[in-house]
Amino acid sequence: MSEIDRYLRATRMAETKFGRLAANDPRLVRDLRNGREAGRRMRTRIAAFIAGSLPQ
């Protein structure tokens, strides 16, 4: 979660927008904060989204 939190702070992106863009799930961040465990594929999708969105 800390990587997602850092990304959200740096981009000032809403949690729901991040979830929608990264995983087509607007409740993703809230669910992760409430104990949802992200599987390997979901973690890979999130990491790829963050890596692809960072300025070079």
Side-chain angles (χ1 to χ4, degrees):
M1 269 309 295
S2 61
E3 184 177 355
I4 294 172
D5 288 328
R6 281 192 300 273
Y7 179 83
L8 293 175
R9 279 192 304 273
T11 61
R12 295 183 170 202
M13 182 180 290
E15 294 176 359
T16 53
K17 183 174 182 179
F18 176 85
R20 200 175 310 112
L21 294 174
N24 200 31
D25 181 359
R27 297 184 338 183
L28 173 68
V29 175
R30 182 181 60 193
D31 289 351
L32 290 171
R33 286 194 174 126
N34 288 327
R36 175 177 168 186
E37 295 288 331
R40 182 179 46 86
R41 285 179 26 194
M42 180 61 69
R43 290 191 309 268
T44 301
R45 285 178 71 176
I46 292 168
F49 175 78
I50 291 173
S53 298
L54 294 175
Q56 299 296 325

